Amino acid sequence: MFVSRVVGDCPGCGAIQKFGNVFVRRDHVLRGCFQCKYSEHIPLPVLRKKVLYLDQCFFSHAFRAKEQRFVQAAEKLREVSALQLMVAPFSSIHEDETNQWKGHEEELMKFIRDISFGHEFEPDYQVERAQLCRAFKSFLSSGSSAFQLCEDDALEEKVHDWDEYLYITIPGCHGDTERIRNARRQSVEALVDAFDHWRKTPKTFEQQILLEMEEQARQYLRAYVDHSVKLGTGDFEALFTSPVISSYVEQLLEYVPQDQMKEGLKIIGNFVRSEHYNQIPYLWIGARVYACLNEEVQGGAYTNREKAIKKLQGLYGDIKHAATYAPYCDAIFMEKKMTAYLSGPRINLEKRYGVKLFSSETLDDFIAWMDQVIDEMTETHRVALSMIFPGVQREDNHAFARAILGKA
Ligand SMILES: [Zn+2]
């Protein structure tokens, strides 16, 4: 057998320094011998890592600007992740945004992957679709309208497996960089251009949320109809070129019972006006952030078009990061404006989803929180780590982490 980490002499054949770890698989370590077939199966305890989401601003500070406090935080994060107490997976949004950093994309993505130890969230569109489907199924069965959050929708189960860090990263299949950049600039411009209308037609917070929810539903239906019309007129290119959101309604229709198929779109129409739809996490969060922004605009903010476009250029990405992934996380690190929206009394994400919110203003708290997680490591956890990384144990948890990373 191929032994990756030697622990000593083989209990089977007695060969000197030929026995050790062959591999680590989610809940056990397999040990074996270089020379004979003797092996041992060592069970590992059930693990649940804390899940952290870092939005792009964290990487801008730590990687691009090389700000010392952020570099320190990133280092702490490597330690707490090396101890397998926490995981900070990267997402499809990171890949899209990183591609906008001309000339540094690969270096930055490597930095992000290093911090995530190769762990990844499900792509954002998949999370959105999974949430829509989950809510729709509950609607069809007249279940509770309270959304049942399910970690599988956003994270692969293996995120919580014990790792030995022999991961291989496969370069992501990136979207069309130029297209994403243009689409983003156009959407920010369109948003800012809508501000005049917002000012002239004042809405309450609740009214604005309703409008946002309706608009989103309209987009799903419109994308589906456009796609169907194209196919209906023989434009089969649409199968490859239609945006992914055109498939959402199609997928929902698959859940409609056969005998009600004729009424399919009507049922979906009722669904998007239901409380089941209103409770879908990424819509619930996104609509409220836009309603907060609307309130600021009505209050006289963002009157200078150019400045507004500049200031809000990251908004779409930031909302997407938070709305898609925050409910599945123990903590999320975001740009401070976003954190202010999400921690405010109207959204209060911490209360709703039990997620801690950190930003550059609370960077010290963020580091202290990671230290606390390291200090609270249990003895069972420590023993499991010493099975996975034989010979590197240290009394002090922080020193143990550095030793695993090969830094001590
Ligand atoms: Zn042996």
Side-chain angles (χ1 to χ4, degrees), residues 77-90:
L77 191 54
R78 298 259 307 147
E79 288 179 16
V80 68
S81 305
L83 293 171
Q84 309 200 28
L85 295 164
M86 195 179 288
V87 60
F90 66 93

Side-chain angles (χ1 to χ4, degrees), residues 9-15 18-19 32-39:
D9 306 342
C10 176
C13 68
K18 296 283 188 226
F19 184 68
C33 172
F34 268 118
Q35 290 188 346
C36 73
K37 285 189 172 163
Y38 178 85
S39 71

Side-chain angles (χ1 to χ4, degrees), residues 53-56 91 93-94 97 124 127 131 281-286 289 314-329 332-335 338-339 341-342 347 349 353 355 357:
Y53 194 91
L54 299 165
D55 91 349
Q56 208 72 10
S91 77
I93 311 175
H94 288 125
E97 295 201 343
D124 57 312
V127 179
Q131 290 188 356
Y282 81 89
L283 293 173
W284 191 95
I285 298 170
V289 176
L315 187 77
Y316 279 95
D318 290 348
I319 292 179
K320 224 171 164 109
H321 281 294
T324 312
Y325 299 108
Y328 301 97
C329 296
I332 177 164
F333 190 101
M334 276 168 310
E335 184 270 320
M338 202 61 186
T339 309
Y341 288 142
L342 299 180
I347 302 184
L349 225 52
Y353 296 112
V355 52
L357 305 168

